[in-house]
Amino acid sequence: MNAIADTEAGRRLAGFLDNPVVGMLPWIVFSVLVGPGRFEFAVAIALAIALVVLIVDRLRRPGTSVKIIEVSDVVFFAALAIVGLFASAGTLRWLETYSGELSNFALVTIALGSIAVRVPFTVQYARERVDRSLWHTRGFMHTNYVITAVWGLAFLVAAVAGLIGDLVLRQPDNIWTNWVIQIGAIIVALRFTEWYPPVVRERIHGGRPSRGGPTSVGALFIPFAGYLVPVGIVVLAFGSGPTWLGIALIVLGVLLVRAFKLDENGDRTSEPRRDAE
């Protein structure tokens, strides 16, 4: 494993595995895939991902403590798989309809529970990416509390959206409540996870964020703005809404991406050229 870790591919893999998103990947995949007639398939894929992540992490870091979220992944989806094997037809239909929300609420519980016991689950990943001397600093812990809370909120939004589709609209496969809103919430949380630590470091060392650059608000929302374009295309392609809505989403997405990129580059374009001094 050490020889692999010394390669460029190995370093990229290590960076990926040290991201808290990896621990949530089985839940994200499951909540997106599950639906009528897809319960067994979604559980199998999620459990396979959970096992691979846990095994690879153990091989990379033998003797270290296992991560809370990775153990929860395996336990939760193994339990779902066992229940699915012995469930009656009625129970299986219930699982096909509501297990996505069940998994999202489980993640909300894990996120908020880890905050309540003062061990936000992102800490175990963050400690593998920063120097040990920073582990107990106020900025480090604050960053992980905030990021963990944002993930809890994202999965709460996904769970509520799913419940609206299932209980209010009676449409378990509704494209808006089952995919668009849920994926949008995850995209925001994914981006926030990468965006927020530099913001905290900038505040600690510089006093306040700069107008532009990678820590600007525009930089935070560029991925979500870009997400509006494929959503608009889906609306037009599948008739998931009026034509004007699809066109409006595409146009809005393009305009917002452009505006946010200008905001992100604002400080660099406004700086005087040093070669002119």
Side-chain angles (χ1 to χ4, degrees), residues 143-165:
T143 300
N144 282 278
Y145 276 117
V146 173
I147 292 175
T148 300
V150 167
W151 274 107
L153 178 61
F155 281 100
L156 179 61
V157 169
V160 171
L163 283 177
I164 291 173

Side-chain angles (χ1 to χ4, degrees), residues 32-46:
V32 171
L33 291 180
V34 74
R38 300 189 301 272
F39 175 77
E40 295 92 338
F41 173 73
V43 170
I45 295 297

Side-chain angles (χ1 to χ4, degrees), residues 197-210 212 214-216 267:
V199 171
V200 174
R201 288 195 295 269
E202 191 173 73
R203 287 173 178 170
I204 290 174
H205 298 295
R208 62 177 182 175
S210 58
T215 58
S216 66
D267 61 338

Side-chain angles (χ1 to χ4, degrees), residues 115-246:
I115 291 174
V117 299
R118 296 182 176 275
V119 188
F121 72 82
T122 59
V123 160
Q124 291 179 298
Y125 293 92
R127 284 175 177 170
E128 295 173 353
R129 307 177 76 178
V130 304
D131 188 84
R132 182 182 290 269
S133 62
L134 300 174
W135 287 6
H136 300 292
T137 61
R138 181 178 179 181
F140 177 79
M141 293 305 299
H142 169 80
T143 300
N144 282 278
Y145 276 117
V146 173
I147 292 175
T148 300
V150 167
W151 274 107
L153 178 61
F155 281 100
L156 179 61
V157 169
V160 171
L163 283 177
I164 291 173
D166 294 337
L167 295 178
V168 179
L169 302 178
R170 300 290 180 180
Q171 298 174 4
D173 272 337
N174 182 280
I175 194 170
W176 291 96
T177 59
N178 201 49
W179 285 294
V180 172
I181 295 175
Q182 296 192 35
I183 294 174
I186 291 169
I187 287 174
V188 172
L190 282 168
R191 178 57 183 150
F192 187 87
T193 300
E194 295 299 321
W195 175 84
Y196 191 64
V199 171
V200 174
R201 288 195 295 269
E202 191 173 73
R203 287 173 178 170
I204 290 174
H205 298 295
R208 62 177 182 175
S210 58
R211 285 183 57 193
T215 58
S216 66
V217 175
L220 170 62
F221 287 107
I222 284 176
F224 181 76
Y227 175 61
L228 297 178
V229 175
V231 171
I233 294 173
V234 168
V235 170
L236 295 176
F238 295 96
S240 305
T243 301
W244 66 264
L245 177 60

